[in-house]
Amino acid sequence: MKKLALVLFFFALSLPAFGAENQATAILLDNSRSVPPRDFNNAKKIVDQLVQQSTGPTTVYVFGNEMKKIGSTELATLEPTDSYTMVYDSAYDAAQQLATIQATHKSLIIISDGLDTKSATVLEDIVSYANEQGIAIYGVGVGKPDRKSLERMARLTGGKFFSISAPDTVEQLQSAIASQKEVPKIEEPKAVIVQQPAPIPAASQPVTNVPVERETSNEFPLKWILILLVGAVLLSGVIFLVARVYRTPDRFCPTCGRKLESYEASCTVCSVAETRQTKAIQIPSDVTQEPGFEALSPIPMELLEKKEVTEEMLSKTFVLMETPMLVVRKGKNLGQTYSLNRAFPVSIGRSRVNEIRLDDITISGQHCRIIPENGRHILCDLNSTNGTFLNDKKVNRQILKEGDTIRVGETQFLYKVEQSRA
């Protein structure tokens, strides 16, 4: 009995540890330069505490231009260096890795400002996949976060949103994850027995085949041939009447009555066409310009010299600024203009996460993006369903020029650079 009691005691002690191993966590840390250094250092501390206090498998990823897995030794020396932020693509890839782990609780923690600039996927893709796999997403906002996107992902997947400035962020995260619902188990579909219908008894009387009259197709082409013939006759009549109205009247010689041809100016039998002689204009030998203009005297050289530019004259010169913009030439937003930023990319699509949102069912959620680079703008297609067209040619990545036409779905833009006074 004593041995049995000891076995039960140690088994009871092992129960919490066994339950804790059923929690799988993935942490995504934003490594782009849009995160302030102070918040980035606080984020690294939070990640280190979560890893140290975790009781189940925990994986840490950093993302910016791309997502990669890191260890605890790399976390200490990590600095924000990437130029772009792929929040949605990184969250989707991390969720796929998390889905391969066998656990009753699965959590994805995203520490970022939520400003996505380069992803091909959209927020709806992440939420749909996370709900299918039973993964709860928790957002931790840093810097000036796009709270709407992070909090929306959290709410739609059963997670929560936190701010990095809160003093007890780690405790709140652990408390929320501890109260998270279990991943629903997918039950195998039960076999359905389909009962075969009873055979229909044969009729006592024989069934007679009733002939079905089919419409002959000879009348169809004959009708159209008659219509074409009548149309041809009517068209010929209209052409004849027009030619009759605009026909040049016949001309006859007033002397002999002979009919004159269209190219004859006078009768060649009884008369000769009057010849006219034009008197040549005599130009004086000492004048070189055309007749009717007075001779111009030479301009003094002092009037052609450039004057010295003073500071007073320069101070009155206005500076012209070039503002790139998109003008809707075709579509529901006809005539509307959108200014393009020279520092940040602009997304075009049907989803609310885009800077330019269009009510067009023929475009994708995130259809394309215009990225500034070295003073130019580059049009990039985001693997859209119907494609992105530049000057009626389908493109994936192309530099924009003044006067280019961009077509996405049924909407057409004109890319132009407008000059205005600074």
Side-chain angles (χ1 to χ4, degrees):
M1 293 296 293
K2 291 181 178 181
K3 292 182 179 180
L4 180 60
L6 289 173
V7 170
L8 292 175
F9 175 75
F10 285 112
F11 178 74
L13 290 177
S14 64
L15 285 177
F18 177 77
E21 290 178 356
N22 289 331
Q23 173 64 49
T25 307
I27 304 175
L28 280 173
L29 178 59
D30 193 340
N31 193 34
S32 62
R33 286 190 294 232
S34 61
V35 179
R38 181 179 178 182
D39 286 358
F40 189 77
N41 292 329
N42 292 338
K44 291 198 297 183
K45 294 178 182 179
I46 290 176
V47 173
D48 185 59
Q49 293 180 20
L50 290 173
V51 173
Q52 296 295 333
Q53 298 177 15
S54 64
T55 55
T58 303
T59 310
V60 181
Y61 303 93
V62 294
F63 68 94
N65 296 340
E66 60 181 359
M67 188 190 76
K68 61 181 179 179
K69 181 180 178 182
I70 63 170
S72 56
T73 56
E74 298 177 82
L75 181 64
T77 60
L78 191 65
E79 295 294 335
T81 57
D82 289 352
S83 303
Y84 299 103
T85 309
M86 300 172 60
V87 179
Y88 302 137
D89 284 358
S90 302
Y92 193 88
D93 295 340
Q96 285 184 321
Q97 297 294 330
L98 193 60
T100 60
I101 302 175
Q102 297 295 331
T104 57
H105 296 78
K106 297 180 182 180
S107 305
L108 175 60
I109 302 173
I110 304 176
I111 306 177
S112 171
D113 55 6
L115 301 175
D116 191 286
T117 59
K118 203 179 179 182
S119 291
T121 56
V122 294
L123 186 144
E124 288 79 4
D125 300 332
I126 314 303
V127 172
S128 176
Y129 184 78
N131 287 328
E132 289 177 2
Q133 302 298 328
I135 300 173
I137 299 177
Y138 297 87
V140 179
V142 296
K144 296 181 179 179
D146 182 8
R147 177 164 180 163
K148 183 178 180 181
S149 60
L150 292 174
E151 189 170 4
R152 187 181 177 193
M153 282 192 291
R155 284 180 177 273
L156 295 178
T157 58
K160 291 184 178 180
F161 174 80
F162 304 95
S163 176
I164 199 170
S165 59
D168 54 348
T169 303
V170 177
E171 289 77 6
Q172 292 182 11
L173 269 171
Q174 291 176 338
S175 176
I177 293 174
S179 61
Q180 180 181 324
K181 296 181 180 180
E182 293 187 2
V183 178
K185 296 182 180 179
I186 302 175
E187 298 182 357
E188 297 182 356
K190 297 181 180 179
V192 180
I193 300 175
V194 180
Q195 295 182 354
Q196 297 292 338
I200 301 174
S204 58
Q205 296 180 356
V207 179
T208 58
N209 294 327
V210 179
V212 179
E213 295 182 358
R214 297 184 179 179
E215 184 180 357
T216 58
S217 59
N218 294 332
E219 297 179 358
F220 179 78
L222 181 60
K223 178 180 67 176
W224 283 104
I225 290 173
L226 292 175
I227 292 175
L228 290 176
L229 289 175
V230 173
V233 171
L234 293 176
L235 182 60
S236 301
V238 171
I239 294 174
F240 175 76
L241 292 176
V242 172
R244 185 180 181 86
V245 170
Y246 290 96
R247 185 172 61 88
T248 304
D250 296 334
R251 296 181 301 121
F252 299 91
C253 177
T255 303
C256 64
R258 190 180 69 86
K259 182 179 179 181
L260 300 179
E261 300 294 337
S262 59
Y263 57 86
E264 292 180 339
S266 61
C267 182
T268 58
V269 176
C270 60
S271 64
V272 179
E274 181 182 0
T275 58
R276 297 181 180 180
Q277 295 181 356
T278 304
K279 187 176 181 181
I281 301 175
Q282 296 181 357
I283 301 175
S285 59
D286 57 342
V287 180
T288 58
Q289 67 274 7
E290 295 181 2
F293 291 88
E294 297 179 359
L296 299 177
S297 59
I299 300 174
M301 293 301 297
E302 59 267 21
L303 296 180
L304 299 177
E305 294 180 355
K306 292 185 179 180
K307 297 182 180 180
E308 184 179 357
V309 180
T310 62
E311 293 295 332
E312 181 182 0
M313 296 174 65
L314 290 175
S315 62
K316 296 180 180 179
T317 303
F318 289 96
V319 179
L320 295 177
M321 290 190 64
E322 294 184 346
T323 304
M325 59 178 56
L326 295 179
V327 181
V328 180
R329 299 287 297 275
K330 182 180 179 182
K332 292 186 177 180
N333 300 335
L334 181 64
Q336 189 168 351
T337 60
Y338 302 93
S339 298
L340 300 179
N341 199 314
R342 291 189 179 274
F344 299 99
V346 175
S347 297
I348 302 174
R350 188 157 43 96
S351 176
R352 294 183 179 179
V353 299
N354 298 282
E355 286 77 12
I356 299 178
R357 181 173 179 265
L358 300 174
D359 186 14
D360 189 346
I361 60 174
T362 61
I363 67 175
S364 303
Q366 275 193 323
H367 197 98
C368 63
R369 182 171 288 120
I370 299 177
I371 302 174
E373 183 175 313
N374 298 328
R376 304 172 302 180
H377 281 93
I378 300 176
L379 176 64
C380 299
D381 182 70
L382 300 179
N383 296 327
S384 58
T385 303
N386 294 321
T388 302
F389 294 83
L390 180 64
N391 298 328
D392 294 333
K393 292 183 179 180
K394 190 174 183 181
V395 296
N396 291 326
R397 180 183 174 92
Q398 189 68 33
I399 299 174
L400 292 177
K401 298 179 182 178
E402 174 79 7
D404 282 349
T405 301
I406 304 170
R407 180 167 60 85
V408 290
E410 296 178 350
T411 304
Q412 188 181 80
F413 296 95
L414 173 66
Y415 175 77
K416 59 180 293 188
V417 179
E418 188 175 56
Q419 292 185 343
S420 58
R421 292 184 180 181

